């Protein structure tokens, strides 16, 4: 059974940066989309950013210009560089990987931004 392993969360002051990484416990063939979602307390899970196999990206309006998603296809790894962090970015961040037939979620990593 394949698992997603996330790293890079933590506590940072407003204006700071963090880099999240997510990799698979075993190689997954045919990954179409890799992405990051987040869920703040009392709110629904929302898309932060995703990246397709061809390299096209999609960002939530709230993070455009501050966050950058990238991927290493050979390593089945996706990254999220988060700059100029704001307190409203505080949430649990979840990695998501999808093929044409399967989807996988990571356990989540906490990101806390203090004001």
């Amino acid at each position: 059974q394949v698992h997603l392993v996330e790293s890079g969360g933590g506590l940072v002051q407003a204006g700071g940066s963090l880099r999240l990484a997510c990799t698979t416990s075993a190689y997954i063939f045919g990954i179409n989309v890799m992405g990051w979602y987040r869920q703040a307390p009392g709110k629904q899970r929302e898309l932060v950013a995703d990246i397709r196999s061809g390299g096209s990206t999609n960002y939530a309006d709230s993070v455009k210009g501050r966050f950058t998603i990238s991927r290493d296809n050979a390593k089945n790894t996706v990254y999220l560089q988060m700059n100029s962090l704001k307190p409203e970015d505080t949430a649990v961040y979840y990695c998501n990987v999808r093929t044409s037939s399967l989807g996988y979620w990571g356990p989540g990593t906490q990101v806390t931004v203090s004001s």
Side-chain angles (χ1 to χ4, degrees):
Q1 187 174 0
V2 177
H3 303 282
L4 301 186
V5 180
E6 299 150 339
S7 61
L11 173 65
V12 64
Q13 289 188 331
S17 298
L18 285 173
R19 188 188 193 216
L20 305 182
C22 171
T23 191
T24 61
S25 61
Y27 192 82
I28 301 173
F29 289 91
I31 293 178
N32 291 332
V33 184
M34 305 182 81
W36 291 93
Y37 289 71
R38 67 185 180 187
Q39 187 167 18
K43 294 188 177 181
Q44 289 188 330
R45 190 173 298 188
E46 63 176 1
L47 174 69
V48 177
D50 62 25
I51 182 167
R52 280 153 175 78
S53 56
S56 61
T57 57
N58 180 40
Y59 292 93
D61 287 343
S62 59
V63 306
K64 283 181 181 177
R66 300 188 298 122
F67 292 9
T68 302
I69 191 169
S70 60
R71 64 189 279 179
D72 184 331
N73 291 328
K75 296 181 179 179
N76 272 183
T77 300
V78 61
Y79 304 96
L80 185 68
Q81 178 66 44
M82 304 186 293
N83 298 328
S84 301
L85 283 159
K86 305 175 181 180
E88 50 264 44
D89 294 317
T90 295
V92 178
Y93 284 69
Y94 297 91
C95 177
N96 176 258
V97 171
R98 300 197 298 276
T99 68
S100 60
S101 57
L102 294 173
Y104 304 86
W105 286 97
T109 184
Q110 178 70 46
V111 171
T112 303
V113 184
S114 63
S115 57

